Amino acid sequence: ISERGLRQEQVARALHNASENSAQPFFAINAHSLDSDALHSLLFGTRGMIETCGRGTVYINELTRLPALLQQRFAAHIEEQRWRANSGRHQGPRLIFATEWNPSEIKAENRIAYGLVEMLRPSGFTIKPLRERSEDTPYLARRLAERIAKRLGKGSHEITPGALKMLSDYSWEGNIDELEAALESAISATQPLLIDESLLPSRIRYA
């Protein structure tokens, strides 16, 4: 469970790469881009990802926005895999779902999604928003600035202590995505040099 902008797919890839099945395939599905029939065929159809992924990983970017029939299909599939695991039989791929909402907030709107999230809760975890772990911001800012400068061919940039504090104090509603956009704006406007408070967007300077 996490808010937008926290790079959930990268977290899923990190979990896959750290597992004993890292050599197996990793598939990422954007639930927003396909209709119900296309999603069902892609996942559960003949030669679909569930069948062909082996012991790899299938990542779904938004569990609660899946069509209701597909949520039911996943619930049945997960129950089957748990039965196989308890019986010592071969299991399918690891499934990693992301969702932006707390289950209690969707109970009234989508009881199927609520039940599926509750089923997965024992093996789930929450990624805290950036504003609740400001101690991570300096590290993330430096890493992002390094990547952005390299991508833009701008050379090395250093963030001043004052700018880092300002970044750490800011409430990032867009999380890492918003932080990256702010740094890209600053780096695009400068030659390789220090990024100080004056180069940060006004919404951050005056927050």
Side-chain angles (χ1 to χ4, degrees):
I1 300 172
S2 67
E3 296 181 359
R4 294 183 182 182
L6 286 169
R7 312 291 170 90
Q8 294 93 329
E9 183 178 333
Q10 291 186 18
V11 175
R13 287 184 182 275
L15 291 172
H16 172 75
N17 292 335
S19 73
E20 61 182 11
N21 298 316
S22 58
Q24 296 291 316
F26 176 94
F27 295 126
I29 305 298
N30 182 357
H32 307 282
S33 63
L34 299 170
D35 61 27
S36 178
D37 291 341
L39 278 170
H40 192 280
S41 178
L42 181 65
L43 290 162
F44 292 103
T46 304
R47 303 299 296 168
M49 289 182 178
I50 300 298
E51 178 183 329
T52 60
C53 193
R55 299 300 296 273
T57 300
V58 177
Y59 164 76
I60 311 292
N61 73 332
E62 184 43 70
L63 169 63
T64 58
R65 294 189 184 180
L66 290 173
L69 289 178
L70 199 55
Q71 291 172 352
Q72 292 176 322
R73 183 71 176 84
F74 268 120
H77 175 77
I78 291 166
E79 288 289 357
E80 179 184 351
Q81 296 310 303
R82 288 179 175 174
W83 176 80
R84 286 177 174 271
N86 293 333
S87 304
R89 301 190 181 189
H90 171 71
Q91 302 172 59
R94 175 198 303 228
L95 300 176
I96 300 180
F97 300 95
T99 183
E100 298 172 11
W101 298 299
N102 187 297
S104 62
E105 297 176 357
I106 63 170
K107 185 174 183 179
E109 300 178 10
N110 190 336
R111 297 191 65 86
I112 297 174
Y114 174 80
L116 184 53
V117 173
E118 287 299 300
M119 177 189 293
L120 296 169
R121 184 185 287 277
S123 57
F125 59 92
T126 298
I127 304 175
K128 291 184 179 180
L130 192 54
R131 62 184 173 276
E132 293 182 14
R133 47 190 177 97
S134 58
E135 67 276 8
D136 292 342
T137 303
Y139 169 79
L140 290 168
R142 292 189 186 101
R143 288 295 301 240
L144 289 169
E146 180 182 336
R147 290 185 186 180
I148 294 166
K150 184 176 181 180
R151 172 163 51 84
L152 298 179
K154 299 286 287 186
S156 178
H157 283 68
E158 183 178 347
I159 307 174
T160 66
L164 282 175
K165 184 179 186 310
M166 194 170 283
L167 293 172
S168 298
D169 290 343
Y170 184 71
S171 179
W172 298 98
E173 294 299 322
N175 291 296
I176 298 173
D177 286 351
E178 185 183 3
L179 173 61
E180 182 173 29
L183 290 170
E184 183 163 348
S185 175
I187 292 171
S188 297
T190 67
Q191 295 299 319
L193 43 73
L194 293 177
I195 298 175
D196 60 20
E197 298 96 315
S198 68
L199 294 175
L200 298 179
S202 59
R203 71 180 187 280
I204 297 174
R205 297 200 310 273
Y206 298 113

